[in-house]
PDB file of all heavy atoms in Angstrom:
ATOM      1  N   LEU A 577     -11.879   3.069  -0.091  1.00 80.00           N
ATOM      2  CA  LEU A 577     -12.227   1.657   0.085  1.00 80.00           C
ATOM      3  C   LEU A 577     -12.814   1.564   1.492  1.00 80.00           C
ATOM      4  O   LEU A 577     -12.145   1.766   2.461  1.00 80.00           O
ATOM      5  CB  LEU A 577     -11.014   0.763  -0.041  1.00 80.00           C
ATOM      6  CG  LEU A 577     -10.352   0.653  -1.444  1.00 80.00           C
ATOM      7  CD1 LEU A 577      -9.148  -0.207  -1.370  1.00 80.00           C
ATOM      8  CD2 LEU A 577     -11.345   0.069  -2.406  1.00 80.00           C
ATOM      9  N   ALA A 578     -14.108   1.168   1.500  1.00 81.00           N
ATOM     10  CA  ALA A 578     -14.779   1.110   2.836  1.00 81.00           C
ATOM     11  C   ALA A 578     -13.976   0.260   3.769  1.00 81.00           C
ATOM     12  O   ALA A 578     -13.540  -0.861   3.438  1.00 81.00           O
ATOM     13  CB  ALA A 578     -16.194   0.548   2.637  1.00 81.00           C
ATOM     14  N   GLY A 579     -13.734   0.764   4.971  1.00 84.00           N
ATOM     15  CA  GLY A 579     -13.082  -0.027   6.003  1.00 84.00           C
ATOM     16  C   GLY A 579     -11.601  -0.203   5.850  1.00 84.00           C
ATOM     17  O   GLY A 579     -10.973  -0.964   6.595  1.00 84.00           O
ATOM     18  N   VAL A 580     -11.019   0.476   4.809  1.00 90.00           N
ATOM     19  CA  VAL A 580      -9.577   0.334   4.570  1.00 90.00           C
ATOM     20  C   VAL A 580      -8.890   1.658   4.878  1.00 90.00           C
ATOM     21  O   VAL A 580      -9.265   2.691   4.330  1.00 90.00           O
ATOM     22  CB  VAL A 580      -9.312  -0.076   3.108  1.00 90.00           C
ATOM     23  CG1 VAL A 580      -7.763  -0.129   2.832  1.00 90.00           C
ATOM     24  CG2 VAL A 580      -9.876  -1.425   2.830  1.00 90.00           C
ATOM     25  N   ASP A 581      -7.867   1.638   5.768  1.00 94.00           N
ATOM     26  CA  ASP A 581      -7.057   2.813   6.034  1.00 94.00           C
ATOM     27  C   ASP A 581      -6.029   2.922   4.962  1.00 94.00           C
ATOM     28  O   ASP A 581      -5.401   1.926   4.597  1.00 94.00           O
ATOM     29  CB  ASP A 581      -6.410   2.747   7.398  1.00 94.00           C
ATOM     30  CG  ASP A 581      -7.454   2.844   8.537  1.00 94.00           C
ATOM     31  OD1 ASP A 581      -8.136   3.892   8.606  1.00 94.00           O
ATOM     32  OD2 ASP A 581      -7.590   1.871   9.324  1.00 94.00           O
ATOM     33  N   TRP A 582      -5.816   4.155   4.454  1.00 95.00           N
ATOM     34  CA  TRP A 582      -4.762   4.298   3.383  1.00 95.00           C
ATOM     35  C   TRP A 582      -4.238   5.755   3.445  1.00 95.00           C
ATOM     36  O   TRP A 582      -4.887   6.665   4.014  1.00 95.00           O
ATOM     37  CB  TRP A 582      -5.355   3.958   2.014  1.00 95.00           C
ATOM     38  CG  TRP A 582      -6.509   4.816   1.584  1.00 95.00           C
ATOM     39  CD1 TRP A 582      -7.828   4.532   1.876  1.00 95.00           C
ATOM     40  CD2 TRP A 582      -6.525   6.004   0.801  1.00 95.00           C
ATOM     41  NE1 TRP A 582      -8.623   5.558   1.350  1.00 95.00           N
ATOM     42  CE2 TRP A 582      -7.862   6.439   0.686  1.00 95.00           C
ATOM     43  CE3 TRP A 582      -5.490   6.814   0.224  1.00 95.00           C
ATOM     44  CZ2 TRP A 582      -8.189   7.593  -0.025  1.00 95.00           C
ATOM     45  CZ3 TRP A 582      -5.816   7.961  -0.455  1.00 95.00           C
ATOM     46  CH2 TRP A 582      -7.206   8.356  -0.578  1.00 95.00           C
ATOM     47  N   GLU A 583      -3.062   5.879   2.870  1.00 97.00           N
ATOM     48  CA  GLU A 583      -2.398   7.203   2.870  1.00 97.00           C
ATOM     49  C   GLU A 583      -1.665   7.373   1.558  1.00 97.00           C
ATOM     50  O   GLU A 583      -0.868   6.516   1.178  1.00 97.00           O
ATOM     51  CB  GLU A 583      -1.385   7.229   4.022  1.00 97.00           C
ATOM     52  CG  GLU A 583      -0.428   8.363   4.047  1.00 97.00           C
ATOM     53  CD  GLU A 583       0.757   8.097   4.973  1.00 97.00           C
ATOM     54  OE1 GLU A 583       1.649   7.281   4.553  1.00 97.00           O
ATOM     55  OE2 GLU A 583       0.757   8.577   6.119  1.00 97.00           O
ATOM     56  N   THR A 584      -1.985   8.414   0.860  1.00 97.00           N
ATOM     57  CA  THR A 584      -1.239   8.702  -0.388  1.00 97.00           C
ATOM     58  C   THR A 584       0.012   9.469  -0.054  1.00 97.00           C
ATOM     59  O   THR A 584      -0.042  10.490   0.673  1.00 97.00           O
ATOM     60  CB  THR A 584      -2.111   9.518  -1.340  1.00 97.00           C
ATOM     61  OG1 THR A 584      -2.990   8.675  -2.079  1.00 97.00           O
ATOM     62  CG2 THR A 584      -1.212  10.289  -2.348  1.00 97.00           C
ATOM     63  N   CYS A 585       1.191   8.993  -0.503  1.00 98.00           N
ATOM     64  CA  CYS A 585       2.427   9.763  -0.328  1.00 98.00           C
ATOM     65  C   CYS A 585       2.795  10.372  -1.674  1.00 98.00           C
ATOM     66  O   CYS A 585       2.563   9.737  -2.720  1.00 98.00           O
ATOM     67  CB  CYS A 585       3.582   8.916   0.211  1.00 98.00           C
ATOM     68  SG  CYS A 585       4.006   7.497  -0.754  1.00 98.00           S
ATOM     69  N   MET A 586       3.234  11.605  -1.627  1.00 98.00           N
ATOM     70  CA  MET A 586       3.426  12.347  -2.885  1.00 98.00           C
ATOM     71  C   MET A 586       4.565  13.356  -2.768  1.00 98.00           C
ATOM     72  O   MET A 586       4.729  13.951  -1.672  1.00 98.00           O
ATOM     73  CB  MET A 586       2.139  13.031  -3.252  1.00 98.00           C
ATOM     74  CG  MET A 586       1.993  13.505  -4.697  1.00 98.00           C
ATOM     75  SD  MET A 586       0.332  14.062  -5.005  1.00 98.00           S
ATOM     76  CE  MET A 586      -0.477  12.528  -5.455  1.00 98.00           C
ATOM     77  N   THR A 587       5.299  13.572  -3.857  1.00 98.00           N
ATOM     78  CA  THR A 587       6.337  14.602  -3.865  1.00 98.00           C
ATOM     79  C   THR A 587       5.731  15.963  -4.216  1.00 98.00           C
ATOM     80  O   THR A 587       4.687  16.007  -4.852  1.00 98.00           O
ATOM     81  CB  THR A 587       7.394  14.270  -4.902  1.00 98.00           C
ATOM     82  OG1 THR A 587       6.706  14.058  -6.166  1.00 98.00           O
ATOM     83  CG2 THR A 587       8.128  12.995  -4.531  1.00 98.00           C
ATOM     84  N   MET A 588       6.371  17.057  -3.870  1.00 98.00           N
ATOM     85  CA  MET A 588       5.960  18.390  -4.278  1.00 98.00           C
ATOM     86  C   MET A 588       6.448  18.688  -5.709  1.00 98.00           C
ATOM     87  O   MET A 588       5.837  19.453  -6.414  1.00 98.00           O
ATOM     88  CB  MET A 588       6.505  19.473  -3.326  1.00 98.00           C
ATOM     89  CG  MET A 588       5.800  19.496  -2.008  1.00 98.00           C
ATOM     90  SD  MET A 588       6.229  21.060  -1.187  1.00 98.00           S
ATOM     91  CE  MET A 588       5.510  20.772   0.429  1.00 98.00           C
ATOM     92  N   ASN A 589       7.593  18.060  -6.081  1.00 97.00           N
ATOM     93  CA  ASN A 589       8.045  18.201  -7.469  1.00 97.00           C
ATOM     94  C   ASN A 589       8.172  16.788  -8.048  1.00 97.00           C
ATOM     95  O   ASN A 589       7.212  16.050  -7.861  1.00 97.00           O
ATOM     96  CB  ASN A 589       9.382  18.997  -7.524  1.00 97.00           C
ATOM     97  CG  ASN A 589      10.460  18.361  -6.598  1.00 97.00           C
ATOM     98  OD1 ASN A 589      10.280  17.263  -6.046  1.00 97.00           O
ATOM     99  ND2 ASN A 589      11.558  19.092  -6.369  1.00 97.00           N
ATOM    100  N   ASP A 590       9.290  16.438  -8.649  1.00 95.00           N
ATOM    101  CA  ASP A 590       9.285  15.044  -9.246  1.00 95.00           C
ATOM    102  C   ASP A 590      10.252  14.117  -8.485  1.00 95.00           C
ATOM    103  O   ASP A 590      10.465  12.982  -8.974  1.00 95.00           O
ATOM    104  CB  ASP A 590       9.707  15.143 -10.733  1.00 95.00           C
ATOM    105  CG  ASP A 590       8.640  15.802 -11.565  1.00 95.00           C
ATOM    106  OD1 ASP A 590       7.469  15.710 -11.165  1.00 95.00           O
ATOM    107  OD2 ASP A 590       8.971  16.435 -12.598  1.00 95.00           O
ATOM    108  N   HIS A 591      10.830  14.557  -7.425  1.00 97.00           N
ATOM    109  CA  HIS A 591      11.797  13.739  -6.718  1.00 97.00           C
ATOM    110  C   HIS A 591      11.536  13.720  -5.215  1.00 97.00           C
ATOM    111  O   HIS A 591      11.085  14.675  -4.619  1.00 97.00           O
ATOM    112  CB  HIS A 591      13.209  14.271  -6.965  1.00 97.00           C
ATOM    113  CG  HIS A 591      13.676  14.200  -8.386  1.00 97.00           C
ATOM    114  ND1 HIS A 591      13.449  15.136  -9.334  1.00 97.00           N
ATOM    115  CD2 HIS A 591      14.335  13.164  -8.999  1.00 97.00           C
ATOM    116  CE1 HIS A 591      13.967  14.770 -10.488  1.00 97.00           C
ATOM    117  NE2 HIS A 591      14.467  13.527 -10.327  1.00 97.00           N
ATOM    118  N   TRP A 592      11.817  12.570  -4.631  1.00 98.00           N
ATOM    119  CA  TRP A 592      11.691  12.418  -3.173  1.00 98.00           C
ATOM    120  C   TRP A 592      12.877  13.026  -2.462  1.00 98.00           C
ATOM    121  O   TRP A 592      12.757  13.905  -1.630  1.00 98.00           O
ATOM    122  CB  TRP A 592      11.589  10.935  -2.802  1.00 98.00           C
ATOM    123  CG  TRP A 592      10.402  10.235  -3.337  1.00 98.00           C
ATOM    124  CD1 TRP A 592      10.356   9.436  -4.439  1.00 98.00           C
ATOM    125  CD2 TRP A 592       9.058  10.291  -2.812  1.00 98.00           C
ATOM    126  NE1 TRP A 592       9.040   8.986  -4.625  1.00 98.00           N
ATOM    127  CE2 TRP A 592       8.258   9.512  -3.703  1.00 98.00           C
ATOM    128  CE3 TRP A 592       8.481  10.933  -1.757  1.00 98.00           C
ATOM    129  CZ2 TRP A 592       6.856   9.364  -3.470  1.00 98.00           C
ATOM    130  CZ3 TRP A 592       7.093  10.797  -1.540  1.00 98.00           C
ATOM    131  CH2 TRP A 592       6.342   9.998  -2.386  1.00 98.00           C
ATOM    132  N   GLY A 593      14.092  12.629  -2.872  1.00 98.00           N
ATOM    133  CA  GLY A 593      15.316  13.227  -2.297  1.00 98.00           C
ATOM    134  C   GLY A 593      15.595  14.550  -3.089  1.00 98.00           C
ATOM    135  O   GLY A 593      15.092  14.782  -4.150  1.00 98.00           O
ATOM    136  N   TYR A 594      16.443  15.420  -2.492  1.00 98.00           N
ATOM    137  CA  TYR A 594      16.671  16.723  -3.098  1.00 98.00           C
ATOM    138  C   TYR A 594      17.349  16.659  -4.462  1.00 98.00           C
ATOM    139  O   TYR A 594      18.377  15.977  -4.581  1.00 98.00           O
ATOM    140  CB  TYR A 594      17.546  17.561  -2.130  1.00 98.00           C
ATOM    141  CG  TYR A 594      17.865  18.914  -2.658  1.00 98.00           C
ATOM    142  CD1 TYR A 594      16.847  19.854  -2.962  1.00 98.00           C
ATOM    143  CD2 TYR A 594      19.183  19.356  -2.895  1.00 98.00           C
ATOM    144  CE1 TYR A 594      17.139  21.123  -3.449  1.00 98.00           C
ATOM    145  CE2 TYR A 594      19.466  20.623  -3.364  1.00 98.00           C
ATOM    146  CZ  TYR A 594      18.456  21.503  -3.662  1.00 98.00           C
ATOM    147  OH  TYR A 594      18.759  22.744  -4.141  1.00 98.00           O
ATOM    148  N   ASN A 595      16.791  17.317  -5.438  1.00 98.00           N
ATOM    149  CA  ASN A 595      17.381  17.446  -6.778  1.00 98.00           C
ATOM    150  C   ASN A 595      17.424  18.947  -7.124  1.00 98.00           C
ATOM    151  O   ASN A 595      16.351  19.523  -7.284  1.00 98.00           O
ATOM    152  CB  ASN A 595      16.587  16.655  -7.806  1.00 98.00           C
ATOM    153  CG  ASN A 595      17.186  16.817  -9.209  1.00 98.00           C
ATOM    154  OD1 ASN A 595      17.334  17.993  -9.688  1.00 98.00           O
ATOM    155  ND2 ASN A 595      17.559  15.788  -9.836  1.00 98.00           N
TER     156      ASN A 595
END
Side-chain angles (χ1 to χ4, degrees):
L577 290 177
V580 175
D581 290 299
W582 59 274
E583 169 196 76
T584 277
C585 58
M586 197 171 274
T587 53
M588 284 195 188
N589 53 12
D590 291 334
H591 293 89
W592 296 101
Y594 179 60
N595 176 304

